[in-house]
Amino acid sequence: MTSTDQLRPAVALHGVGKSFPGVVAVSDVTLSIPPGEVHVFAGENGAGKSTLMKLIAQVEPPSTGYVELDGVRVEHHGPGAARRLGVSMVHQEFALAPDLSVAENLFIGHEPGRGGWISRSAERRAARDLLAEVGLDIDPGRRVAQLSTAEQQRVELAKALAVQAKVLILDEPTASLTEGEAEELFGIVRDLTARGIAVLYISHRLDEIFEIGDRVTVMRDGAVVATRPVADLDEAQLVQLMVGRDVANLYPRTYQEPGAVRLRVSGLTRGDAVRDVSFEVRAGEIVGLAGLVGAGRTELARAVFGAELPDAGTVELDGRPLRIRGPADAIAAGIGYLTESRKTDGLALQLGVDKNITLAKLPMRAGLIDLAAERRIAERERDGLRIRVPWVGRPVRQLSGGNQQKVILARWLETGAEVLFFDEPGRGMDVGAKSEMFQQMDSLAARGAAVVLISSYLPELLNMCDRILVMRGGRITGEVGRAEFSEERVVALATGARNVENGGKNG
Ligand SMILES: Nc1ncnc2c1ncn2[C@@H]1O[C@H](COP(=O)(O)OP(=O)(O)OP(=O)(O)O)[C@@H](O)[C@H]1O
Ligand SMILES: [Mg+2]
C-alpha cells in the first residue's frame, strides 16, 4: 500500500469554516485526502457534513480558510469552476433535471460535438458508454422522471465520469437504495477508487461505513472530532465519537401483552400493487412490514391511509368500519402515515419548525391558535428528538437533511394518532436520533397505539417488532412471530428463495 504522504492530496482543506446567521455550520477543518481513498464523513444530524461537502464542491465559498484540489488552490466558485477542477457531487437530494433526457442530463453544459453544434447521435453514443460504466443499460433518450431512484443515482454517477472527476462526493447515497442496490453501488465506488478517484462519502449507517470506508472523519458541531482508519475502530467506538456519549440501547423496546385489535384490514386490493391483503394490529403492538422494494409495502400503507383509493377491501378501526376517501378522512379517524419521501410530501419549507410540527393538529384555545402551546410542543419535540435549530421559529428550509426528517416525525408523534404507519422512519437520521425515535415509538405502543413499521433494514424490524409480516408481489406471503425471529427467515420470505412459511424453522 502506498503511503498517503507520497501522493499529492486530491483534496486538502486548510482551516475551512462556514457560518450562517446564528450558526457556525463548519469550523476550522484541516484535512487531506489522497487519490483513491474512500473517505467517510459521519456525525450527528446538523454536524456540518453536507455544508463541508458544498465548500469542497465549490457550491459556496468558505467563510474562513481555503480548499486545495489536486494541489490547486480554489479561488472561484460555482458549479462550472468545480467541474474544471474535477469535482463532482451527488447531493443528498438529487439535482437532475427531471424533464430532460438521460443523455441531456449527462452533458448539460459540456455537450460533445464541434463548434457548439450538438450531435444527437454522438451524444447518445457517448451516453451509452458512460452508462455502461456504471452498470446501467437504459435508453439514454428516456426522461429522467421515468427512472427509479437507483437509476437516477447511477445517472448522477455517470455524470461524474462524464466530467472525468478526480473527486466524487456522495451525500448519503444509500439512503434511498435497497440492500442489493447498495451492494452494487459499493462495487462502482470500488471501481472508481481503483482509477484513483477520491470518494468522499457521507453516511449514517455503521455497517456501510465499515464495509466501504478506508478512513472516517467524524464531525460534531461543525468541527472535526477525529479522523481515523476505519480498521482501527469498532462500532461502539465509532458511535461514541459520533454522538459524544454512549448510546446504550439503539432499540429500546419494552414488550407488553397486546390488547384488543385496533386496526383490521381485510381483502385490501389496489391494482397489482396490493392484492387481497388482510392483517390485524393490536393495541400495544409494533408490527413490521418486510419485503423488497416494490413488494407493495408503501402502496399498502398508502391504500389504508387513503392516499390511493383501494379497488376492494375494508379497513376497520376499533371494530368500526371506516370510509376513507382521502388522507383527511384517515387523519380524522386517527390513522397517521409517516411517508417514505418525507421532504416532498409534507414539509412547508418556508414555515418555522414550530408551525410544521403542529400543522396536523393545531393547539387551539377559544377558537384561536394557542401560540404559547405551539411553542411548548415544538420545544419539547426539539429537545426529545434533538432537532438542531437555534430557535423553533426558524424556517425548516435552513435545517440539515436529517433534522428536516425529525420535524415530520415530530408532527406525527404529536397528532395523537391511534394507528401509525412509519415508512422507513430512520432514513437519514443519526444513530442517537434513531434511538430516540424508537424510544418514542415504543412509548406510543405502550400507551395502546397500534404501530406498523416498514423498514428495509432488518435489524430494526427484528429488534422493534412483535411480529413481522413479509410482503412479496403485493401479497402478504408470511408472518414471523418474535419467538422465531431470524434474518435468514425474513430474507427467505421476502425473496421467496425457499418456502419457510410452514415449518423449516432455522432458529
Ligand atoms: N442555508 C443555511 N442557512 C442557515 N443555516 C444553515 C444553512 N445550511 C445549513 N445550515 C445549518 O448548518 C448546520 C449544518 O448543516 P448540514 O446540512 O451541513 O448538516 P449535516 O451534517 O449534513 O446533517 P444531516 O446528517 O442531517 O444531513 C445545521 O445547523 C444547519 O441548520
Ligand atoms: Mg446532510
Side-chain angles (χ1 to χ4, degrees), residues 20-21 23-25 43-52 54 92 171-172 202 204 388 394 398-403 428:
F20 296 106
V23 189
V24 179
E44 291 189 293
N45 296 129
K49 305 177 296 293
S50 295
T51 305
L52 181 63
K54 286 178 197 160
Q92 208 163 354
D171 194 347
E172 297 188 40
I202 298 181
H204 290 294
R388 194 171 192 270
R394 269 266 164 130
Q398 294 180 4
L399 268 58
S400 77
N403 283 300

PDB file of all heavy atoms in Angstrom, residues 20-21 23-25 43-52 54 92 171-172 202 204 388 394 398-403 428, ligand 1:
ATOM      1  N   PHE A  20     -23.423  30.654   9.024  1.00  0.00           N
ATOM      2  CA  PHE A  20     -24.697  31.236   8.605  1.00  0.00           C
ATOM      3  C   PHE A  20     -25.173  32.085   9.777  1.00  0.00           C
ATOM      4  O   PHE A  20     -24.702  31.890  10.896  1.00  0.00           O
ATOM      5  CB  PHE A  20     -25.721  30.139   8.291  1.00  0.00           C
ATOM      6  CG  PHE A  20     -25.341  29.270   7.125  1.00  0.00           C
ATOM      7  CD1 PHE A  20     -24.894  27.973   7.333  1.00  0.00           C
ATOM      8  CD2 PHE A  20     -25.411  29.756   5.831  1.00  0.00           C
ATOM      9  CE1 PHE A  20     -24.535  27.173   6.266  1.00  0.00           C
ATOM     10  CE2 PHE A  20     -25.057  28.961   4.755  1.00  0.00           C
ATOM     11  CZ  PHE A  20     -24.614  27.663   4.974  1.00  0.00           C
ATOM     12  N   PRO A  21     -26.127  32.993   9.548  1.00  0.00           N
ATOM     13  CA  PRO A  21     -26.578  33.821  10.674  1.00  0.00           C
ATOM     14  C   PRO A  21     -26.976  32.943  11.865  1.00  0.00           C
ATOM     15  O   PRO A  21     -27.824  32.077  11.740  1.00  0.00           O
ATOM     16  CB  PRO A  21     -27.786  34.559  10.095  1.00  0.00           C
ATOM     17  CG  PRO A  21     -27.534  34.595   8.615  1.00  0.00           C
ATOM     18  CD  PRO A  21     -26.772  33.350   8.291  1.00  0.00           C
ATOM     19  N   VAL A  23     -25.453  30.493  13.217  1.00  0.00           N
ATOM     20  CA  VAL A  23     -24.968  29.111  13.213  1.00  0.00           C
ATOM     21  C   VAL A  23     -23.556  29.035  12.630  1.00  0.00           C
ATOM     22  O   VAL A  23     -23.305  29.568  11.562  1.00  0.00           O
ATOM     23  CB  VAL A  23     -25.836  28.193  12.300  1.00  0.00           C
ATOM     24  CG1 VAL A  23     -25.451  26.730  12.487  1.00  0.00           C
ATOM     25  CG2 VAL A  23     -27.309  28.399  12.516  1.00  0.00           C
ATOM     26  N   VAL A  24     -22.661  28.376  13.350  1.00  0.00           N
ATOM     27  CA  VAL A  24     -21.378  28.024  12.746  1.00  0.00           C
ATOM     28  C   VAL A  24     -21.543  26.603  12.222  1.00  0.00           C
ATOM     29  O   VAL A  24     -21.568  25.649  12.979  1.00  0.00           O
ATOM     30  CB  VAL A  24     -20.228  28.090  13.774  1.00  0.00           C
ATOM     31  CG1 VAL A  24     -18.917  27.694  13.127  1.00  0.00           C
ATOM     32  CG2 VAL A  24     -20.132  29.490  14.362  1.00  0.00           C
ATOM     33  N   ALA A  25     -21.701  26.484  10.912  1.00  0.00           N
ATOM     34  CA  ALA A  25     -22.005  25.174  10.343  1.00  0.00           C
ATOM     35  C   ALA A  25     -20.746  24.320  10.239  1.00  0.00           C
ATOM     36  O   ALA A  25     -20.778  23.112  10.463  1.00  0.00           O
ATOM     37  CB  ALA A  25     -22.661  25.325   8.975  1.00  0.00           C
ATOM     38  N   GLY A  43     -21.321  11.659  11.568  1.00  0.00           N
ATOM     39  CA  GLY A  43     -21.615  12.589  12.663  1.00  0.00           C
ATOM     40  C   GLY A  43     -23.098  12.868  12.734  1.00  0.00           C
ATOM     41  O   GLY A  43     -23.847  12.575  11.800  1.00  0.00           O
ATOM     42  N   GLU A  44     -23.497  13.465  13.846  1.00  0.00           N
ATOM     43  CA  GLU A  44     -24.924  13.696  14.093  1.00  0.00           C
ATOM     44  C   GLU A  44     -25.556  14.593  13.029  1.00  0.00           C
ATOM     45  O   GLU A  44     -24.868  15.325  12.320  1.00  0.00           O
ATOM     46  CB  GLU A  44     -25.102  14.379  15.454  1.00  0.00           C
ATOM     47  CG  GLU A  44     -24.762  13.485  16.622  1.00  0.00           C
ATOM     48  CD  GLU A  44     -25.158  14.108  17.942  1.00  0.00           C
ATOM     49  OE1 GLU A  44     -24.555  15.123  18.317  1.00  0.00           O
ATOM     50  OE2 GLU A  44     -26.080  13.579  18.589  1.00  0.00           O
ATOM     51  N   ASN A  45     -26.862  14.546  12.967  1.00  0.00           N
ATOM     52  CA  ASN A  45     -27.605  15.421  12.065  1.00  0.00           C
ATOM     53  C   ASN A  45     -27.297  16.871  12.417  1.00  0.00           C
ATOM     54  O   ASN A  45     -27.381  17.267  13.574  1.00  0.00           O
ATOM     55  CB  ASN A  45     -29.114  15.175  12.190  1.00  0.00           C
ATOM     56  CG  ASN A  45     -29.520  13.777  11.756  1.00  0.00           C
ATOM     57  OD1 ASN A  45     -30.208  13.059  12.469  1.00  0.00           O
ATOM     58  ND2 ASN A  45     -29.094  13.373  10.574  1.00  0.00           N
ATOM     59  N   GLY A  46     -26.914  17.622  11.403  1.00  0.00           N
ATOM     60  CA  GLY A  46     -26.594  19.029  11.633  1.00  0.00           C
ATOM     61  C   GLY A  46     -25.137  19.252  12.027  1.00  0.00           C
ATOM     62  O   GLY A  46     -24.755  20.377  12.373  1.00  0.00           O
ATOM     63  N   ALA A  47     -24.313  18.214  11.963  1.00  0.00           N
ATOM     64  CA  ALA A  47     -22.907  18.337  12.366  1.00  0.00           C
ATOM     65  C   ALA A  47     -22.093  19.172  11.375  1.00  0.00           C
ATOM     66  O   ALA A  47     -21.001  19.631  11.699  1.00  0.00           O
ATOM     67  CB  ALA A  47     -22.282  16.954  12.529  1.00  0.00           C
ATOM     68  N   GLY A  48     -22.601  19.322  10.144  1.00  0.00           N
ATOM     69  CA  GLY A  48     -21.894  20.157   9.165  1.00  0.00           C
ATOM     70  C   GLY A  48     -21.343  19.382   7.977  1.00  0.00           C
ATOM     71  O   GLY A  48     -20.608  19.941   7.158  1.00  0.00           O
ATOM     72  N   LYS A  49     -21.711  18.122   7.839  1.00  0.00           N
ATOM     73  CA  LYS A  49     -21.159  17.275   6.780  1.00  0.00           C
ATOM     74  C   LYS A  49     -21.513  17.798   5.392  1.00  0.00           C
ATOM     75  O   LYS A  49     -20.641  18.001   4.547  1.00  0.00           O
ATOM     76  CB  LYS A  49     -21.677  15.824   6.939  1.00  0.00           C
ATOM     77  CG  LYS A  49     -21.411  15.223   8.304  1.00  0.00           C
ATOM     78  CD  LYS A  49     -21.999  13.841   8.461  1.00  0.00           C
ATOM     79  CE  LYS A  49     -23.528  13.791   8.378  1.00  0.00           C
ATOM     80  NZ  LYS A  49     -24.238  14.450   9.475  1.00  0.00           N
ATOM     81  N   SER A  50     -22.811  18.009   5.148  1.00  0.00           N
ATOM     82  CA  SER A  50     -23.224  18.455   3.809  1.00  0.00           C
ATOM     83  C   SER A  50     -22.645  19.832   3.497  1.00  0.00           C
ATOM     84  O   SER A  50     -22.232  20.103   2.364  1.00  0.00           O
ATOM     85  CB  SER A  50     -24.753  18.514   3.696  1.00  0.00           C
ATOM     86  OG  SER A  50     -25.306  17.219   3.811  1.00  0.00           O
ATOM     87  N   THR A  51     -22.611  20.692   4.489  1.00  0.00           N
ATOM     88  CA  THR A  51     -22.070  22.038   4.260  1.00  0.00           C
ATOM     89  C   THR A  51     -20.600  21.951   3.867  1.00  0.00           C
ATOM     90  O   THR A  51     -20.162  22.617   2.921  1.00  0.00           O
ATOM     91  CB  THR A  51     -22.236  22.907   5.525  1.00  0.00           C
ATOM     92  OG1 THR A  51     -23.612  22.909   5.895  1.00  0.00           O
ATOM     93  CG2 THR A  51     -21.774  24.329   5.270  1.00  0.00           C
ATOM     94  N   LEU A  52     -19.837  21.111   4.550  1.00  0.00           N
ATOM     95  CA  LEU A  52     -18.418  20.966   4.220  1.00  0.00           C
ATOM     96  C   LEU A  52     -18.259  20.467   2.779  1.00  0.00           C
ATOM     97  O   LEU A  52     -17.409  20.951   2.030  1.00  0.00           O
ATOM     98  CB  LEU A  52     -17.735  20.005   5.205  1.00  0.00           C
ATOM     99  CG  LEU A  52     -16.238  19.782   4.969  1.00  0.00           C
ATOM    100  CD1 LEU A  52     -15.463  21.096   5.139  1.00  0.00           C
ATOM    101  CD2 LEU A  52     -15.683  18.730   5.925  1.00  0.00           C
ATOM    102  N   LYS A  54     -20.278  20.948   0.330  1.00  0.00           N
ATOM    103  CA  LYS A  54     -20.614  22.025  -0.603  1.00  0.00           C
ATOM    104  C   LYS A  54     -19.443  23.002  -0.742  1.00  0.00           C
ATOM    105  O   LYS A  54     -19.253  23.606  -1.797  1.00  0.00           O
ATOM    106  CB  LYS A  54     -21.872  22.770  -0.138  1.00  0.00           C
ATOM    107  CG  LYS A  54     -23.136  21.953  -0.383  1.00  0.00           C
ATOM    108  CD  LYS A  54     -24.367  22.681   0.113  1.00  0.00           C
ATOM    109  CE  LYS A  54     -25.534  21.721   0.258  1.00  0.00           C
ATOM    110  NZ  LYS A  54     -26.578  22.256   1.148  1.00  0.00           N
ATOM    111  N   GLN A  92     -27.547  15.184  -1.482  1.00  0.00           N
ATOM    112  CA  GLN A  92     -28.484  14.451  -0.625  1.00  0.00           C
ATOM    113  C   GLN A  92     -29.834  14.365  -1.344  1.00  0.00           C
ATOM    114  O   GLN A  92     -30.486  13.341  -1.348  1.00  0.00           O
ATOM    115  CB  GLN A  92     -28.603  15.204   0.703  1.00  0.00           C
ATOM    116  CG  GLN A  92     -28.953  14.359   1.885  1.00  0.00           C
ATOM    117  CD  GLN A  92     -28.653  15.078   3.212  1.00  0.00           C
ATOM    118  OE1 GLN A  92     -28.085  16.165   3.234  1.00  0.00           O
ATOM    119  NE2 GLN A  92     -29.047  14.465   4.294  1.00  0.00           N
ATOM    120  N   ASP A 171     -23.390  12.188  -1.006  1.00  0.00           N
ATOM    121  CA  ASP A 171     -24.029  12.578   0.253  1.00  0.00           C
ATOM    122  C   ASP A 171     -25.169  11.609   0.556  1.00  0.00           C
ATOM    123  O   ASP A 171     -26.225  11.670  -0.072  1.00  0.00           O
ATOM    124  CB  ASP A 171     -24.531  14.025   0.147  1.00  0.00           C
ATOM    125  CG  ASP A 171     -24.891  14.623   1.502  1.00  0.00           C
ATOM    126  OD1 ASP A 171     -24.984  13.865   2.481  1.00  0.00           O
ATOM    127  OD2 ASP A 171     -25.077  15.853   1.574  1.00  0.00           O
ATOM    128  N   GLU A 172     -24.954  10.723   1.492  1.00  0.00           N
ATOM    129  CA  GLU A 172     -25.924   9.689   1.876  1.00  0.00           C
ATOM    130  C   GLU A 172     -26.500   8.953   0.666  1.00  0.00           C
ATOM    131  O   GLU A 172     -27.716   8.902   0.477  1.00  0.00           O
ATOM    132  CB  GLU A 172     -27.057  10.288   2.716  1.00  0.00           C
ATOM    133  CG  GLU A 172     -26.552  10.855   4.037  1.00  0.00           C
ATOM    134  CD  GLU A 172     -27.678  11.285   4.962  1.00  0.00           C
ATOM    135  OE1 GLU A 172     -28.684  10.568   5.025  1.00  0.00           O
ATOM    136  OE2 GLU A 172     -27.542  12.329   5.600  1.00  0.00           O
ATOM    137  N   ILE A 202     -20.671  10.494   2.618  1.00  0.00           N
ATOM    138  CA  ILE A 202     -21.374  10.759   3.880  1.00  0.00           C
ATOM    139  C   ILE A 202     -22.321   9.605   4.180  1.00  0.00           C
ATOM    140  O   ILE A 202     -23.062   9.165   3.303  1.00  0.00           O
ATOM    141  CB  ILE A 202     -22.196  12.066   3.797  1.00  0.00           C
ATOM    142  CG1 ILE A 202     -21.266  13.250   3.549  1.00  0.00           C
ATOM    143  CG2 ILE A 202     -22.996  12.274   5.074  1.00  0.00           C
ATOM    144  CD1 ILE A 202     -21.980  14.588   3.473  1.00  0.00           C
ATOM    145  N   HIS A 204     -24.689   7.577   7.586  1.00  0.00           N
ATOM    146  CA  HIS A 204     -25.066   7.354   8.981  1.00  0.00           C
ATOM    147  C   HIS A 204     -25.068   5.878   9.314  1.00  0.00           C
ATOM    148  O   HIS A 204     -25.311   5.495  10.449  1.00  0.00           O
ATOM    149  CB  HIS A 204     -26.493   7.881   9.239  1.00  0.00           C
ATOM    150  CG  HIS A 204     -26.590   9.370   9.196  1.00  0.00           C
ATOM    151  ND1 HIS A 204     -25.980  10.171  10.125  1.00  0.00           N
ATOM    152  CD2 HIS A 204     -27.190  10.208   8.328  1.00  0.00           C
ATOM    153  CE1 HIS A 204     -26.232  11.438   9.834  1.00  0.00           C
ATOM    154  NE2 HIS A 204     -26.953  11.488   8.740  1.00  0.00           N
ATOM    155  N   ARG A 388     -31.696  20.000  15.666  1.00  0.00           N
ATOM    156  CA  ARG A 388     -30.671  21.029  15.812  1.00  0.00           C
ATOM    157  C   ARG A 388     -31.122  22.309  15.130  1.00  0.00           C
ATOM    158  O   ARG A 388     -31.051  22.446  13.912  1.00  0.00           O
ATOM    159  CB  ARG A 388     -29.359  20.546  15.208  1.00  0.00           C
ATOM    160  CG  ARG A 388     -28.167  21.388  15.605  1.00  0.00           C
ATOM    161  CD  ARG A 388     -26.893  20.701  15.139  1.00  0.00           C
ATOM    162  NE  ARG A 388     -25.705  21.310  15.723  1.00  0.00           N
ATOM    163  CZ  ARG A 388     -25.037  22.315  15.157  1.00  0.00           C
ATOM    164  NH1 ARG A 388     -25.432  22.808  14.008  1.00  0.00           N
ATOM    165  NH2 ARG A 388     -23.966  22.800  15.733  1.00  0.00           N
ATOM    166  N   ARG A 394     -37.389  29.109  13.349  1.00  0.00           N
ATOM    167  CA  ARG A 394     -36.569  29.064  12.134  1.00  0.00           C
ATOM    168  C   ARG A 394     -37.247  28.315  10.984  1.00  0.00           C
ATOM    169  O   ARG A 394     -37.800  27.236  11.204  1.00  0.00           O
ATOM    170  CB  ARG A 394     -35.271  28.312  12.437  1.00  0.00           C
ATOM    171  CG  ARG A 394     -34.157  29.192  12.896  1.00  0.00           C
ATOM    172  CD  ARG A 394     -33.281  29.600  11.735  1.00  0.00           C
ATOM    173  NE  ARG A 394     -32.475  30.732  12.137  1.00  0.00           N
ATOM    174  CZ  ARG A 394     -31.149  30.809  11.965  1.00  0.00           C
ATOM    175  NH1 ARG A 394     -30.510  29.820  11.409  1.00  0.00           N
ATOM    176  NH2 ARG A 394     -30.506  31.873  12.334  1.00  0.00           N
ATOM    177  N   GLN A 398     -33.842  25.895   6.395  1.00  0.00           N
ATOM    178  CA  GLN A 398     -32.457  26.086   6.838  1.00  0.00           C
ATOM    179  C   GLN A 398     -31.906  24.919   7.654  1.00  0.00           C
ATOM    180  O   GLN A 398     -30.764  24.942   8.080  1.00  0.00           O
ATOM    181  CB  GLN A 398     -32.360  27.362   7.678  1.00  0.00           C
ATOM    182  CG  GLN A 398     -32.635  28.610   6.872  1.00  0.00           C
ATOM    183  CD  GLN A 398     -32.548  29.868   7.704  1.00  0.00           C
ATOM    184  OE1 GLN A 398     -32.203  29.833   8.875  1.00  0.00           O
ATOM    185  NE2 GLN A 398     -32.886  30.998   7.107  1.00  0.00           N
ATOM    186  N   LEU A 399     -32.727  23.899   7.879  1.00  0.00           N
ATOM    187  CA  LEU A 399     -32.257  22.766   8.669  1.00  0.00           C
ATOM    188  C   LEU A 399     -31.497  21.769   7.813  1.00  0.00           C
ATOM    189  O   LEU A 399     -31.719  21.679   6.604  1.00  0.00           O
ATOM    190  CB  LEU A 399     -33.450  22.046   9.330  1.00  0.00           C
ATOM    191  CG  LEU A 399     -33.822  22.522  10.736  1.00  0.00           C
ATOM    192  CD1 LEU A 399     -34.140  23.999  10.744  1.00  0.00           C
ATOM    193  CD2 LEU A 399     -34.986  21.720  11.271  1.00  0.00           C
ATOM    194  N   SER A 400     -30.629  20.980   8.455  1.00  0.00           N
ATOM    195  CA  SER A 400     -29.941  19.913   7.734  1.00  0.00           C
ATOM    196  C   SER A 400     -30.950  18.822   7.374  1.00  0.00           C
ATOM    197  O   SER A 400     -32.046  18.767   7.941  1.00  0.00           O
ATOM    198  CB  SER A 400     -28.837  19.325   8.603  1.00  0.00           C
ATOM    199  OG  SER A 400     -29.384  18.469   9.588  1.00  0.00           O
ATOM    200  N   GLY A 401     -30.554  17.957   6.435  1.00  0.00           N
ATOM    201  CA  GLY A 401     -31.458  16.919   5.929  1.00  0.00           C
ATOM    202  C   GLY A 401     -32.094  16.083   7.032  1.00  0.00           C
ATOM    203  O   GLY A 401     -33.315  15.913   7.081  1.00  0.00           O
ATOM    204  N   GLY A 402     -31.275  15.569   7.921  1.00  0.00           N
ATOM    205  CA  GLY A 402     -31.782  14.699   8.984  1.00  0.00           C
ATOM    206  C   GLY A 402     -32.700  15.446   9.939  1.00  0.00           C
ATOM    207  O   GLY A 402     -33.680  14.891  10.445  1.00  0.00           O
ATOM    208  N   ASN A 403     -32.398  16.701  10.173  1.00  0.00           N
ATOM    209  CA  ASN A 403     -33.237  17.475  11.079  1.00  0.00           C
ATOM    210  C   ASN A 403     -34.588  17.804  10.457  1.00  0.00           C
ATOM    211  O   ASN A 403     -35.596  17.884  11.154  1.00  0.00           O
ATOM    212  CB  ASN A 403     -32.496  18.747  11.519  1.00  0.00           C
ATOM    213  CG  ASN A 403     -31.451  18.435  12.577  1.00  0.00           C
ATOM    214  OD1 ASN A 403     -31.771  17.939  13.646  1.00  0.00           O
ATOM    215  ND2 ASN A 403     -30.201  18.672  12.250  1.00  0.00           N
ATOM    216  N   GLY A 428     -31.682   8.571   7.004  1.00  0.00           N
ATOM    217  CA  GLY A 428     -31.054   9.878   7.100  1.00  0.00           C
ATOM    218  C   GLY A 428     -30.873  10.381   8.516  1.00  0.00           C
ATOM    219  O   GLY A 428     -30.379  11.478   8.717  1.00  0.00           O
TER     220      GLY A 428
HETATM  221  N1  LIG B   1     -28.532  27.910   4.204  1.00  0.00           N
HETATM  222  C1  LIG B   1     -28.458  27.775   5.540  1.00  0.00           C
HETATM  223  N2  LIG B   1     -28.901  28.742   6.375  1.00  0.00           N
HETATM  224  C2  LIG B   1     -28.818  28.611   7.716  1.00  0.00           C
HETATM  225  N3  LIG B   1     -28.324  27.527   8.343  1.00  0.00           N
HETATM  226  C3  LIG B   1     -27.866  26.528   7.572  1.00  0.00           C
HETATM  227  C4  LIG B   1     -27.910  26.583   6.138  1.00  0.00           C
HETATM  228  N4  LIG B   1     -27.390  25.434   5.640  1.00  0.00           N
HETATM  229  C5  LIG B   1     -27.041  24.697   6.721  1.00  0.00           C
HETATM  230  N5  LIG B   1     -27.322  25.349   7.878  1.00  0.00           N
HETATM  231  C6  LIG B   1     -27.072  24.864   9.242  1.00  0.00           C
HETATM  232  O1  LIG B   1     -25.752  24.374   9.316  1.00  0.00           O
HETATM  233  C7  LIG B   1     -25.691  23.255  10.175  1.00  0.00           C
HETATM  234  C8  LIG B   1     -25.027  22.080   9.451  1.00  0.00           C
HETATM  235  O2  LIG B   1     -25.910  21.595   8.450  1.00  0.00           O
HETATM  236  P1  LIG B   1     -25.515  20.413   7.450  1.00  0.00           P
HETATM  237  O3  LIG B   1     -26.597  20.329   6.451  1.00  0.00           O
HETATM  238  O4  LIG B   1     -24.134  20.627   6.972  1.00  0.00           O
HETATM  239  O5  LIG B   1     -25.553  19.153   8.437  1.00  0.00           O
HETATM  240  P2  LIG B   1     -25.304  17.596   8.115  1.00  0.00           P
HETATM  241  O6  LIG B   1     -24.142  17.175   8.948  1.00  0.00           O
HETATM  242  O7  LIG B   1     -25.246  17.367   6.667  1.00  0.00           O
HETATM  243  O8  LIG B   1     -26.619  16.928   8.762  1.00  0.00           O
HETATM  244  P3  LIG B   1     -27.589  15.711   8.240  1.00  0.00           P
HETATM  245  O9  LIG B   1     -26.944  14.457   8.745  1.00  0.00           O
HETATM  246  O10 LIG B   1     -28.851  15.978   8.990  1.00  0.00           O
HETATM  247  O11 LIG B   1     -27.734  15.812   6.778  1.00  0.00           O
HETATM  248  C9  LIG B   1     -27.097  22.966  10.621  1.00  0.00           C
HETATM  249  O12 LIG B   1     -27.290  23.538  11.894  1.00  0.00           O
HETATM  250  C10 LIG B   1     -27.951  23.695   9.592  1.00  0.00           C
HETATM  251  O13 LIG B   1     -29.182  24.093  10.140  1.00  0.00           O
END
